[in-house]
């Protein structure tokens, strides 16, 4: 884990597209602003874990995507489509 010190109005970059800004510090609470592209999901961890639990309970699986961002199709589905 990388640990960084920042003050109010300073920021941290993650890659080229995600910026974390320290918006406010009050006592033991830090308010963060997150600038990220819409295609990147940003959640508080407790919300993320709840989403993961719900996916497991529903048996929902995210479709996998290939290197071009298109949904992968299994060999069986390709054969049916022919």
């Amino acid at each position: 884990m990388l640990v960084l010190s920042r003050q109010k109005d300073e920021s941290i970059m993650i890659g080229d597209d995600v910026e974390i800004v320290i918006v406010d510090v009050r006592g033991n609470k830090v308010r963060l602003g997150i600038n990220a592209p819409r295609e990147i999901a940003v959640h508080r961890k407790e919300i993320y874990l709840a989403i993961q639990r719900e996916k497991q309970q529903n048996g929902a699986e995210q479709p996998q995507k290939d290197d071009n961002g298109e949904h992968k199709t299994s060999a069986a589905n390709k054969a049916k489509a022919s």
Side-chain angles (χ1 to χ4, degrees):
M1 175 187 307
L2 174 64
V3 178
L4 300 171
S5 296
R6 300 275 74 200
Q7 295 180 3
K8 184 179 174 187
D9 297 326
E10 293 183 335
S11 61
I12 298 166
M13 293 299 298
I14 299 175
D16 293 331
D17 298 328
V18 179
E19 179 183 21
I20 311 294
V21 180
I22 308 306
V23 175
D24 194 20
V25 180
R26 290 185 188 170
N28 65 350
K29 289 200 175 196
V30 177
R31 295 185 68 203
L32 302 174
I34 302 167
N35 293 316
R38 289 195 180 274
E39 61 270 11
I40 296 178
V42 177
H43 301 288
R44 296 186 330 246
K45 187 167 184 178
E46 61 272 18
I47 301 299
Y48 171 81
L49 294 174
I51 291 168
Q52 296 305 310
R53 277 193 305 274
E54 187 174 309
K55 285 181 182 179
Q56 286 178 348
Q57 289 172 355
N58 293 334
E61 217 176 275
Q62 291 288 343
Q64 294 182 354
K65 294 185 180 182
D66 62 18
D67 293 337
N68 297 322
E70 296 183 19
H71 294 290
K72 286 185 178 179
T73 307
S74 69
N77 288 340
K78 286 180 182 177
K80 288 179 188 176
S82 299

